[in-house]
Amino acid sequence: MAGQLREYFAGARTRFDLEFVRGGSAFQQRVWEALDGIPYGSTVTYGEIAAKAGEPRERVRMVAAAIGANPLVVVRPCHRVIGANGALTGYSGGLERKQRLLELEHVLLPA
């Protein structure tokens, strides 16, 4: 895992190939699977993740809580989830780290 993380931070890896034990509730697992599908270098909104997890927009806050409980912060790319208005919102590692991860992936955010 450490080698793959080094490659990611060096810009040489865009996907992780790791085996890990699935944890969390069935709801969290659906949300985390939706996170796993976000391509490198792109972003999606919390509402889009809710829809991909089969949840109505009314449950976006619950989806955001499940994203915040993600135990694989860089590997499962919760940093690629942004607010509906394009703003950086919520990240357990802090917004500055979220921004740096997105910059590493060459994501252009609205000014």
Side-chain angles (χ1 to χ4, degrees), residues 2 8-9 12 19-20 33 37 54 63 66 68-69 71 75 81 84 91 100-101 103-104:
Y8 170 80
F9 287 113
E19 290 187 31
F20 47 85
E33 286 173 14
V63 167
V75 174
V81 183
Y91 185 65
R100 285 195 306 216
L101 289 169
E103 288 170 354
L104 174 72

Side-chain angles (χ1 to χ4, degrees), residues 7-50:
E7 291 170 355
Y8 170 80
F9 287 113
R13 175 173 290 276
T14 61
R15 299 185 62 86
F16 292 94
D17 182 26
L18 302 171
E19 290 187 31
F20 47 85
V21 176
R22 292 176 54 103
S25 68
F27 171 75
Q28 287 173 321
Q29 288 178 15
R30 284 195 316 276
V31 172
W32 296 343
E33 286 173 14
L35 289 178
D36 290 338
I38 306 170
Y40 180 92
S42 63
T43 59
V44 298
T45 66
Y46 289 91
E48 290 172 311
I49 290 295

